[in-house]
Amino acid sequence: MITAIILAAGESRRMGGQNKLLLPIFGEVLIQKFVRSIRASNVDEVLVVVGHEEEKIKDVLKGQSVRFVENFCYMEGMTTSIQSGIQAASPESDGLLICLADLPFIETSDFNRLICSFTDFFDTKSSLIIVPVFKGQRGNPVLFSNQFREIILQHKGEGCRDIVQKHPECVREVTMENDNVLLDLDTPEDFKLFCA
């Protein structure tokens, strides 16, 4: 079983006052497009971690088959959202797919490529981290086996990059066919460049 944890609680501080997840992308709202792509993939459970503008995010995702997880500490950073999602994930889950929701081009096939690799490499006795790579550059999302659940819950750093770096023996890099896993929206300039 694979649980997708979509981080949608952030304040989009670098976007100049706009919530980047609510921006229009190719005829729909960014978070809608992201959730639709992941719902069509081989994940079994989709959690959306909300905080900043929670009601607006919930409203645009009305009717989508997701479970919302509230992060009351979202102002303390991304790690609190990751940990909120991990705590809410099904205990039956073998894999925890940590998703930044600001990837405008990511497709169902990209998610499935990572999940397929996880299934190929996964052994219930050993720890595993699946990392997407394009032209030597690591991207997102990252898929952790359930052995990392407690490590992530105890983690004090920002995001999960430190955990990946501290466990190189567990990492399997998956070569992607495109740069969808690298292109994220952080600033108004990014939005103009990618989506105008």
Side-chain angles (χ1 to χ4, degrees), residues 77-110:
M78 187 198 303
T79 303
T80 63
S81 287
I82 295 170
Q83 290 168 338
S84 297
I86 296 284
Q87 282 176 321
S90 167
E92 306 296 311
S93 209
D94 298 313
L96 303 158
L97 183 65
I98 311 293
C99 302
L100 309 182
D102 62 352
L103 300 166
F105 302 108
I106 198 154
E107 299 289 346
T108 301
S109 57
D110 300 316

Side-chain angles (χ1 to χ4, degrees), residues 39-175:
R39 279 282 354 138
S41 77
N42 296 328
V43 298
D44 301 285
E45 176 180 51
V46 178
L47 308 180
V48 179
V49 182
V50 291
H52 177 63
E53 298 195 323
E54 167 190 344
E55 292 308 320
K56 288 184 182 176
I57 298 286
K58 286 181 173 178
D59 196 48
V60 298
L61 294 178
K62 210 174 271 177
Q64 295 265 23
S65 182
V66 301
R67 183 153 58 90
F68 292 102
V69 178
E70 291 187 27
N71 174 15
F72 298 106
C73 304
Y74 69 89
M75 286 175 282
E76 294 172 24
M78 187 198 303
T79 303
T80 63
S81 287
I82 295 170
Q83 290 168 338
S84 297
I86 296 284
Q87 282 176 321
S90 167
E92 306 296 311
S93 209
D94 298 313
L96 303 158
L97 183 65
I98 311 293
C99 302
L100 309 182
D102 62 352
L103 300 166
F105 302 108
I106 198 154
E107 299 289 346
T108 301
S109 57
D110 300 316
F111 294 121
N112 281 343
R113 193 177 184 89
L114 298 175
I115 293 165
C116 190
S117 295
F118 180 85
T119 306
D120 287 347
F121 286 117
F122 181 62
D123 172 348
T124 53
K125 298 181 201 65
S126 57
S127 305
L128 177 63
I129 305 172
I130 296 288
V131 179
V133 175
F134 182 74
K135 292 188 175 175
Q137 194 175 344
R138 289 180 171 182
N140 284 289
V142 175
L143 180 46
F144 292 87
S145 65
N146 60 353
Q147 286 90 343
F148 282 96
R149 191 184 289 253
E150 283 307 313
I151 293 170
I152 296 171
L153 288 175
Q154 304 301 322
H155 186 51
K156 301 292 184 208
E158 180 63 7
C160 289
R161 188 173 291 172
D162 289 357
I163 297 173
V164 174
Q165 289 171 345
K166 282 178 187 166
H167 297 87
E169 75 286 356
C170 301
V171 174
R172 296 287 180 276
E173 291 188 340
V174 176
T175 302

Side-chain angles (χ1 to χ4, degrees), residues 14-15 20 23-26 30 102 104-105 182-196:
R14 292 164 60 195
M15 193 49 83
K20 60 186 173 182
L23 289 171
I25 305 284
F26 317 126
L30 175 54
D102 62 352
F105 302 108
L182 305 179
L183 300 175
D184 58 351
L185 286 185
D186 281 325
T187 65
E189 291 72 31
D190 292 341
F191 182 67
K192 281 179 194 158
L193 182 66
F194 296 149
C195 308

